[in-house]
Each structure stands twice: as C-alpha cells, then as structure tokens.
Amino acid sequence: MSGESSCPTLIRKRLWQSRRDHYIAVFENALMLLCQRSELPVDEPGLVRELHVTSVTARRKLDPKGRYGSPVFEAQSLPDPDSQILESFEYKRPDIQWIHDDESAVDDRHREKSFVIECKRLGRTTASGWNLNEQYVIGGVSRFLSPEWRYGLHMSEGMMIGFIQDMTPSEILFVLNEYLGNRSVSNLESEMPLSDRGVNRLSHEFERPFSKSPFTLLHQWVDIRGVRAVPSIKTTRKKLPKKRLKSNRGRSSERASNTSSGGI
C-alpha cells in the first residue's frame, strides 16, 4: 500500500508546486553565488561543502521566516514506510535532502517525504582517468533508477546539480545523452537555449521499478570554468585511544590485592 490519498486536492498539489519551486530557486541562487567566488575546491566533496554555505545565504534571502525549513546534507535516506525490515538502500546518503511533511498522506508512516538532490562534476576525463560525464550518469542519474539506491522513493521528482569544470554545456549535453541512451534512459532536454555562463536548467522523465513512476529528474548545471580551482584542505580525525579491558584474571588478582591490603 502506498499510504497516500488517491485524490489529492488541487490545493495540496499547488502547495507542493510552491515548495518545489522554492527548492529550485534556493539552489539556483546558491549556485549563482558560487560563480562569484574567486576560487573553489576542485573536488566534489569540497564543492558540495561550499554549496552548503551559499545555500544558507540563498535560503535566508528567499525565505527569511523559515516557512520551508532547510535542506540536510549527507544524511541517510528516509526509511521505506512500505517495508517491515531495514532495507539496504536506507543506508545510502544522498548529497542533499529537503524533507517535508506531505499533507496528502493518509497515515503518518508516509507523511515524511524527501526531495533528493545529487551533485556531480562535469567535464573532461581527469588526469587520473575519472570520466566525469560518465560518472554523472552511472553515479548520479542511475541512483534515481536503481532498486539498490532508490533515491527519491515515493516522490515524483528529484534533482541533479552539475558543476561544469571544463567543456561547454552543449558538448556535455551531447556526451551525456549518449551515455543515457546506452542505458535506455530518455535524453536530457534544456528548458531554454544553453548558456555558457551562469546556471542552465534541464530535465527528463523516465520509468523506474519503484514508486513513484514515471519520475521527473530536474538538472541544474553551474558553469564554474572561470573560477580558479584549488585543492581542498583535508584534515584527518584523531583516533581516541582504545580503553584496555582488564581480563578476568587481572580483575581477580586486583581484587585479591585489595582484600589483603584491607580494600573492599
């Protein structure tokens, strides 16, 4: 059972559309703020970290009263309300989730929904042989299709964010559609002619073997080719020393010693 109302009202649909449009606007603004930076990390975790910062600025600007809440970064996927056991895909951690209450749900198990956003770099294959454009498909788009990942479960929409580091948007679109076609996924289409500056919006719709289907995946590509790329500063966590557990023999010897010296 889906646990959802079979006939959500027009008002509820409009509420979701308003919420979705807000999510899109926040991240479009946040991506534009990234374009204004003098330098950005070259790696994906570093870029997502900076996006986290600019998303706060964009959210406070567009929603100063906090009516729509805030997104969470690197959090586990929501539990599947239709499953009686802990599923393996529930351990997955999308880059970004914007969790909200679905007022059309008829029971609380289905009330929480997550608008999932996955982020990837775009451009030529790196010196180490990492194919950015191919990974955008097999490590990004495919997670909204695969039963092993189930990103956007029980949602009709989700989003990808692409950081363009080299190649033009038109070149990238051509290559991506080849990779998508090889996986029998519908082509990406741009809402407007692709621009070599700022943020481009694209989308496509496809069938998938879990709820909801068909599914619409939105895409926002930000062109950061003009921003100087720098390595991220990585820190290592200090490991706490492990507590040594005394053996039963050690505890017995200590107890005997305490007894002989008048200890309790």
Side-chain angles (χ1 to χ4, degrees), residues 166-227:
D166 51 38
M167 299 178 64
T168 67
S170 297
E171 290 171 335
I172 292 170
L173 178 60
F174 179 81
V175 173
L176 285 187
N177 280 338
E178 283 194 333
Y179 287 128
L180 290 168
N182 292 338
R183 292 176 168 266
S184 301
V185 181
S186 58
N187 281 355
L188 270 171
E189 296 182 357
S190 175
E191 296 180 5
M192 299 180 67
L194 292 175
S195 170
D196 286 340
R197 299 181 65 182
V199 178
N200 285 293
R201 288 189 185 187
L202 306 94
S203 65
H204 54 161
E205 183 180 274
F206 44 77
E207 300 287 337
R208 57 185 195 168
F210 52 90
S211 174
K212 292 182 175 178
S213 183
F215 183 82
T216 299
L217 188 57
L218 312 170
H219 298 252
Q220 289 188 352
W221 293 355
V222 59
D223 193 335
I224 56 172
R225 289 177 293 170
V227 182

Coordinates of all heavy atoms in Angstrom, one line a residue, residues 166-227:
D166 N 35.1 22.0 -17.1 CA 35.5 22.3 -18.5 C 34.6 21.7 -19.5 O 33.6 21.1 -19.1 CB 37.0 21.8 -18.7 CG 37.2 20.3 -18.3 OD1 36.3 19.5 -18.6 OD2 38.3 20.0 -17.8
M167 N 34.8 21.9 -20.8 CA 33.8 21.6 -21.9 C 32.7 22.6 -21.8 O 32.4 23.2 -20.7 CB 33.3 20.2 -21.8 CG 34.4 19.1 -22.0 SD 33.7 17.4 -21.9 CE 32.6 17.3 -23.3
T168 N 32.0 22.8 -22.9 CA 30.9 23.7 -23.0 C 29.6 22.9 -22.6 O 29.6 21.7 -22.7 CB 30.7 24.3 -24.4 OG1 30.3 23.2 -25.3 CG2 31.9 25.0 -24.9
P169 N 28.6 23.6 -22.1 CA 27.3 22.9 -21.8 C 26.8 22.1 -23.0 O 26.3 21.0 -22.8 CB 26.4 24.0 -21.4 CG 27.3 25.1 -20.8 CD 28.5 25.0 -21.7
S170 N 26.9 22.6 -24.2 CA 26.4 21.9 -25.4 C 27.2 20.6 -25.6 O 26.6 19.6 -25.9 CB 26.5 22.8 -26.6 OG 25.6 23.9 -26.4
E171 N 28.5 20.7 -25.4 CA 29.3 19.5 -25.6 C 29.0 18.4 -24.6 O 28.9 17.2 -24.9 CB 30.8 19.8 -25.5 CG 31.3 20.7 -26.6 CD 32.7 21.2 -26.4 OE1 33.1 21.4 -25.2 OE2 33.4 21.5 -27.4
I172 N 28.8 18.9 -23.3 CA 28.4 17.9 -22.2 C 27.1 17.3 -22.5 O 26.9 16.1 -22.3 CB 28.5 18.7 -20.9 CG1 29.9 19.1 -20.5 CG2 27.9 17.8 -19.8 CD1 30.0 20.0 -19.3
L173 N 26.1 18.1 -22.9 CA 24.8 17.5 -23.2 C 24.8 16.4 -24.2 O 24.2 15.4 -24.1 CB 23.8 18.7 -23.6 CG 22.4 18.3 -24.0 CD1 21.7 17.6 -22.8 CD2 21.6 19.5 -24.5
F174 N 25.6 16.7 -25.3 CA 25.7 15.7 -26.4 C 26.3 14.3 -25.8 O 25.8 13.3 -26.1 CB 26.6 16.2 -27.5 CG 26.8 15.2 -28.6 CD1 25.8 15.1 -29.6 CD2 28.0 14.5 -28.7 CE1 26.0 14.2 -30.6 CE2 28.1 13.5 -29.7 CZ 27.2 13.4 -30.7
V175 N 27.4 14.5 -25.0 CA 28.0 13.3 -24.5 C 27.1 12.6 -23.5 O 27.0 11.3 -23.5 CB 29.3 13.6 -23.8 CG1 29.9 12.4 -23.1 CG2 30.3 14.2 -24.8
L176 N 26.4 13.3 -22.6 CA 25.6 12.7 -21.6 C 24.4 12.0 -22.2 O 24.0 10.9 -21.8 CB 25.0 13.8 -20.6 CG 26.0 14.3 -19.6 CD1 25.2 15.3 -18.6 CD2 26.6 13.3 -18.8
N177 N 23.8 12.5 -23.3 CA 22.7 11.9 -23.9 C 23.1 10.6 -24.6 O 22.3 9.6 -24.7 CB 22.0 12.8 -24.9 CG 21.1 13.8 -24.3 OD1 20.6 13.6 -23.2 ND2 20.8 14.9 -24.9
E178 N 24.4 10.5 -25.0 CA 24.9 9.2 -25.5 C 25.0 8.1 -24.3 O 24.5 7.0 -24.5 CB 26.3 9.4 -26.1 CG 26.3 10.0 -27.5 CD 27.6 9.8 -28.2 OE1 28.7 9.7 -27.5 OE2 27.6 9.8 -29.4
Y179 N 25.5 8.6 -23.2 CA 25.5 7.6 -22.0 C 24.1 7.3 -21.6 O 23.9 6.1 -21.2 CB 26.3 8.3 -20.9 CG 27.8 8.4 -21.1 CD1 28.5 9.6 -20.9 CD2 28.5 7.3 -21.4 CE1 29.8 9.7 -21.1 CE2 29.9 7.3 -21.6 CZ 30.6 8.6 -21.5 OH 31.9 8.7 -21.7
L180 N 23.2 8.2 -21.6 CA 21.8 7.9 -21.1 C 21.2 7.0 -22.1 O 20.5 6.0 -21.7 CB 21.0 9.2 -21.1 CG 21.4 10.2 -19.9 CD1 20.7 11.5 -20.1 CD2 21.0 9.6 -18.6
G181 N 21.4 7.2 -23.4 CA 20.8 6.3 -24.5 C 21.3 4.9 -24.3 O 20.6 3.9 -24.5
N182 N 22.6 4.7 -24.0 CA 23.2 3.4 -23.8 C 22.5 2.6 -22.7 O 22.6 1.4 -22.6 CB 24.7 3.5 -23.6 CG 25.4 4.0 -24.8 OD1 25.0 3.8 -25.9 ND2 26.6 4.5 -24.6
R183 N 21.9 3.4 -21.7 CA 21.2 2.8 -20.6 C 19.7 2.9 -20.7 O 19.0 2.7 -19.8 CB 21.7 3.5 -19.3 CG 23.1 3.2 -19.0 CD 23.6 4.0 -17.7 NE 24.9 3.4 -17.3 CZ 25.0 2.5 -16.4 NH1 24.0 2.0 -15.8 NH2 26.2 2.1 -16.0
S184 N 19.3 3.2 -22.0 CA 17.8 3.2 -22.3 C 17.1 4.2 -21.4 O 15.9 4.0 -21.0 CB 17.2 1.8 -22.1 OG 17.8 0.9 -23.0
V185 N 17.8 5.3 -21.1 CA 17.2 6.4 -20.3 C 16.9 7.6 -21.3 O 17.7 7.9 -22.1 CB 18.1 6.9 -19.2 CG1 17.4 8.0 -18.4 CG2 18.4 5.7 -18.3
S186 N 15.8 8.3 -21.1 CA 15.4 9.3 -22.0 C 16.4 10.5 -22.0 O 17.1 10.7 -21.0 CB 14.0 9.9 -21.7 OG 14.0 10.3 -20.3
N187 N 16.5 11.2 -23.1 CA 17.5 12.3 -23.3 C 17.2 13.4 -22.4 O 16.0 13.7 -22.1 CB 17.5 12.7 -24.7 CG 18.4 11.8 -25.6 OD1 19.0 10.9 -25.2 ND2 18.4 12.1 -26.9
L188 N 18.2 14.1 -22.0 CA 18.1 15.4 -21.3 C 17.7 16.5 -22.3 O 18.2 16.5 -23.4 CB 19.4 15.8 -20.6 CG 19.6 15.3 -19.2 CD1 21.1 15.6 -18.8 CD2 18.7 16.0 -18.2
E189 N 16.8 17.4 -21.8 CA 16.4 18.5 -22.7 C 16.5 19.8 -21.9 O 16.1 19.8 -20.7 CB 14.9 18.3 -23.2 CG 14.8 17.1 -24.1 CD 13.4 16.9 -24.7 OE1 12.5 17.7 -24.3 OE2 13.2 16.0 -25.5
S190 N 16.9 20.8 -22.5 CA 17.1 22.1 -21.9 C 15.8 22.9 -22.0 O 15.1 22.9 -23.1 CB 18.2 22.9 -22.5 OG 18.3 24.2 -21.9
E191 N 15.4 23.6 -20.9 CA 14.2 24.5 -21.0 C 14.4 25.7 -21.9 O 13.5 26.1 -22.5 CB 13.9 25.0 -19.5 CG 13.6 23.9 -18.6 CD 13.3 24.4 -17.2 OE1 13.2 25.6 -17.0 OE2 13.0 23.6 -16.3
M192 N 15.7 26.1 -22.0 CA 16.0 27.3 -22.9 C 17.3 27.0 -23.6 O 18.0 26.0 -23.2 CB 16.1 28.6 -22.0 CG 14.8 28.9 -21.3 SD 15.0 30.5 -20.4 CE 15.3 31.7 -21.7
P193 N 17.7 27.7 -24.6 CA 19.0 27.5 -25.2 C 20.1 27.5 -24.2 O 20.1 28.4 -23.3 CB 19.1 28.7 -26.2 CG 17.7 29.0 -26.6 CD 16.9 28.8 -25.3
L194 N 21.0 26.6 -24.3 CA 22.1 26.5 -23.3 C 23.0 27.7 -23.3 O 23.4 28.2 -24.4 CB 22.9 25.2 -23.5 CG 22.2 23.9 -23.3 CD1 23.1 22.7 -23.6 CD2 21.8 23.8 -21.8
S195 N 23.3 28.2 -22.1 CA 24.2 29.4 -21.9 C 25.5 28.9 -21.4 O 25.7 28.0 -20.7 CB 23.6 30.4 -21.0 OG 24.5 31.4 -20.6
D196 N 26.6 29.6 -21.9 CA 27.9 29.3 -21.4 C 28.3 30.0 -20.1 O 29.4 30.0 -19.7 CB 29.0 29.7 -22.5 CG 29.0 28.7 -23.7 OD1 28.5 27.6 -23.5 OD2 29.4 29.1 -24.8
R197 N 27.3 30.7 -19.5 CA 27.5 31.4 -18.3 C 26.4 31.1 -17.3 O 25.2 30.9 -17.8 CB 27.7 32.9 -18.5 CG 28.9 33.2 -19.4 CD 29.0 34.7 -19.5 NE 29.4 35.4 -18.2 CZ 29.5 36.7 -18.1 NH1 29.3 37.5 -19.1 NH2 29.8 37.2 -16.9
G198 N 26.6 31.1 -16.0 CA 25.5 31.0 -15.0 C 25.0 29.6 -14.9 O 25.8 28.6 -14.9
V199 N 23.7 29.5 -14.7 CA 23.1 28.2 -14.4 C 22.1 27.8 -15.6 O 21.3 28.6 -16.0 CB 22.3 28.3 -13.1 CG1 21.6 27.0 -12.8 CG2 23.2 28.6 -11.9
N200 N 22.2 26.6 -16.0 CA 21.3 26.0 -17.0 C 20.3 25.1 -16.4 O 20.8 24.3 -15.5 CB 22.0 25.3 -18.1 CG 22.7 26.3 -19.1 OD1 22.0 27.0 -19.8 ND2 24.0 26.3 -19.1
R201 N 19.1 25.1 -16.8 CA 18.1 24.1 -16.3 C 17.8 23.1 -17.4 O 17.5 23.5 -18.5 CB 16.8 24.8 -15.9 CG 16.9 25.6 -14.6 CD 15.5 26.1 -14.3 NE 15.4 27.0 -13.1 CZ 14.2 27.4 -12.6 NH1 13.1 26.9 -13.1 NH2 14.2 28.2 -11.5
L202 N 17.8 21.8 -17.0 CA 17.4 20.7 -17.9 C 16.5 19.8 -17.2 O 16.4 19.8 -15.9 CB 18.6 20.0 -18.5 CG 19.7 20.9 -19.1 CD1 20.8 21.3 -18.1 CD2 20.4 20.1 -20.3
S203 N 15.9 18.8 -17.9 CA 15.1 17.8 -17.3 C 14.8 16.6 -18.2 O 15.1 16.7 -19.4 CB 13.8 18.4 -16.8 OG 13.0 18.8 -17.9
H204 N 14.4 15.5 -17.6 CA 13.9 14.4 -18.4 C 13.0 13.6 -17.5 O 13.1 13.7 -16.3 CB 15.0 13.6 -19.0 CG 16.1 13.1 -18.1 ND1 16.9 12.0 -18.4 CD2 16.4 13.5 -16.9 CE1 17.8 11.8 -17.4 NE2 17.5 12.7 -16.4
E205 N 12.2 12.7 -18.1 CA 11.3 11.9 -17.4 C 11.5 10.4 -17.8 O 11.8 10.1 -19.0 CB 9.8 12.3 -17.7 CG 8.8 11.5 -17.0 CD 7.4 11.9 -17.3 OE1 6.9 12.8 -16.7 OE2 6.8 11.2 -18.2
F206 N 11.5 9.5 -16.9 CA 11.7 8.1 -17.2 C 10.9 7.2 -16.2 O 10.5 7.6 -15.2 CB 13.2 7.8 -17.1 CG 13.9 8.3 -15.9 CD1 13.8 7.7 -14.6 CD2 14.7 9.4 -16.0 CE1 14.4 8.2 -13.5 CE2 15.4 10.0 -14.9 CZ 15.2 9.4 -13.6
E207 N 10.7 6.0 -16.7 CA 10.1 5.0 -15.8 C 11.1 4.3 -14.9 O 12.3 4.2 -15.2 CB 9.5 3.9 -16.7 CG 8.4 4.3 -17.7 CD 7.1 4.7 -17.0 OE1 6.9 4.2 -15.9 OE2 6.4 5.5 -17.6
R208 N 10.7 3.9 -13.7 CA 11.6 3.2 -12.8 C 10.8 2.1 -12.1 O 9.5 2.2 -12.0 CB 12.2 4.1 -11.9 CG 11.3 5.0 -11.0 CD 12.1 6.0 -10.2 NE 11.2 6.6 -9.2 CZ 11.7 7.3 -8.2 NH1 13.0 7.6 -8.1 NH2 10.9 7.9 -7.3
P209 N 11.5 1.1 -11.5 CA 10.7 -0.1 -11.0 C 10.3 0.1 -9.5 O 10.1 -0.9 -8.9 CB 11.8 -1.2 -11.1 CG 13.1 -0.5 -11.0 CD 12.9 0.8 -11.6
F210 N 10.1 1.3 -9.1 CA 9.6 1.5 -7.7 C 8.9 2.8 -7.7 O 8.9 3.6 -8.7 CB 10.7 1.5 -6.7 CG 11.9 2.4 -7.0 CD1 11.9 3.7 -6.5 CD2 13.0 1.9 -7.7 CE1 13.0 4.5 -6.8 CE2 14.1 2.8 -8.0 CZ 14.1 4.1 -7.6
S211 N 8.2 3.1 -6.6 CA 7.3 4.3 -6.5 C 8.2 5.6 -6.3 O 9.1 5.5 -5.6 CB 6.4 4.1 -5.3 OG 5.6 5.3 -5.1
K212 N 7.8 6.7 -7.0 CA 6.8 6.8 -8.0 C 7.4 6.7 -9.4 O 8.5 7.1 -9.6 CB 6.1 8.1 -7.8 CG 5.3 8.3 -6.5 CD 4.5 9.6 -6.5 CE 3.6 9.7 -5.3 NZ 3.0 11.0 -5.2
S213 N 6.5 6.3 -10.3 CA 6.9 6.2 -11.7 C 5.7 6.5 -12.6 O 4.6 6.1 -12.3 CB 7.4 4.8 -12.0 OG 7.9 4.7 -13.3
P214 N 5.9 7.3 -13.7 CA 7.2 7.9 -14.1 C 7.7 9.0 -13.2 O 7.0 9.5 -12.3 CB 6.8 8.5 -15.5 CG 5.3 8.8 -15.4 CD 4.8 7.7 -14.5
F215 N 9.0 9.2 -13.3 CA 9.7 10.1 -12.4 C 10.4 11.2 -13.2 O 11.0 11.0 -14.3 CB 10.8 9.3 -11.7 CG 11.6 10.1 -10.7 CD1 11.1 10.4 -9.4 CD2 12.9 10.6 -11.0 CE1 11.8 11.1 -8.5 CE2 13.6 11.3 -10.0 CZ 13.1 11.5 -8.8
T216 N 10.3 12.5 -12.8 CA 11.0 13.6 -13.4 C 12.2 14.0 -12.7 O 12.2 14.3 -11.5 CB 10.0 14.8 -13.5 OG1 8.8 14.4 -14.3 CG2 10.7 16.0 -14.2
L217 N 13.3 14.0 -13.4 CA 14.6 14.4 -12.8 C 15.0 15.7 -13.4 O 15.2 15.9 -14.6 CB 15.7 13.4 -13.1 CG 17.0 13.6 -12.3 CD1 16.8 13.6 -10.8 CD2 18.0 12.4 -12.7
L218 N 15.1 16.7 -12.5 CA 15.5 18.1 -12.9 C 17.0 18.2 -12.8 O 17.6 17.5 -12.0 CB 14.8 19.1 -12.0 CG 13.3 18.9 -11.8 CD1 12.8 19.9 -10.7 CD2 12.6 19.2 -13.1
H219 N 17.6 19.1 -13.6 CA 19.0 19.3 -13.5 C 19.4 20.7 -13.5 O 18.7 21.5 -14.3 CB 19.7 18.6 -14.8 CG 19.5 17.1 -14.9 ND1 20.5 16.2 -14.7 CD2 18.4 16.4 -15.2 CE1 20.1 15.0 -14.8 NE2 18.8 15.1 -15.2
Q220 N 20.3 21.1 -12.7 CA 20.9 22.5 -12.7 C 22.4 22.4 -12.9 O 23.1 21.7 -12.1 CB 20.6 23.2 -11.4 CG 19.1 23.6 -11.2 CD 18.9 24.5 -10.0 OE1 19.8 24.7 -9.2 NE2 17.7 25.0 -9.9
W221 N 22.9 23.0 -14.0 CA 24.3 23.0 -14.3 C 24.9 24.4 -14.0 O 24.4 25.3 -14.6 CB 24.6 22.5 -15.7 CG 24.2 21.1 -16.0 CD1 23.8 20.2 -15.2 CD2 24.3 20.5 -17.3 NE1 23.6 19.0 -15.8 CE2 23.8 19.2 -17.2 CE3 24.6 21.0 -18.6 CZ2 23.8 18.3 -18.2 CZ3 24.5 20.1 -19.7 CH2 24.1 18.8 -19.5
V222 N 25.9 24.5 -13.2 CA 26.5 25.7 -13.0 C 27.9 25.8 -13.6 O 28.7 24.8 -13.5 CB 26.6 26.1 -11.5 CG1 27.4 25.0 -10.7 CG2 27.2 27.4 -11.2
D223 N 28.2 26.8 -14.4 CA 29.4 26.9 -15.1 C 30.5 27.6 -14.2 O 30.4 28.8 -13.9 CB 29.2 27.8 -16.4 CG 30.4 27.7 -17.3 OD1 31.5 27.4 -16.9 OD2 30.2 27.9 -18.5
I224 N 31.4 26.9 -13.7 CA 32.5 27.4 -12.8 C 33.8 27.4 -13.5 O 34.9 27.4 -12.9 CB 32.5 26.7 -11.5 CG1 32.7 25.2 -11.7 CG2 31.3 26.9 -10.7 CD1 33.0 24.4 -10.4
R225 N 33.8 27.3 -14.9 CA 35.1 27.3 -15.6 C 36.0 28.5 -15.4 O 37.2 28.4 -15.4 CB 34.8 27.1 -17.1 CG 34.3 25.7 -17.5 CD 34.0 25.6 -18.9 NE 32.9 26.5 -19.3 CZ 32.5 26.8 -20.5 NH1 33.2 26.2 -21.6 NH2 31.5 27.6 -20.8
G226 N 35.3 29.6 -15.1 CA 36.0 30.9 -14.9 C 36.5 31.1 -13.5 O 37.2 32.1 -13.2
V227 N 36.2 30.1 -12.6 CA 36.6 30.2 -11.2 C 37.9 29.4 -11.0 O 37.9 28.2 -11.4 CB 35.5 29.8 -10.2 CG1 35.9 30.0 -8.8 CG2 34.2 30.6 -10.5

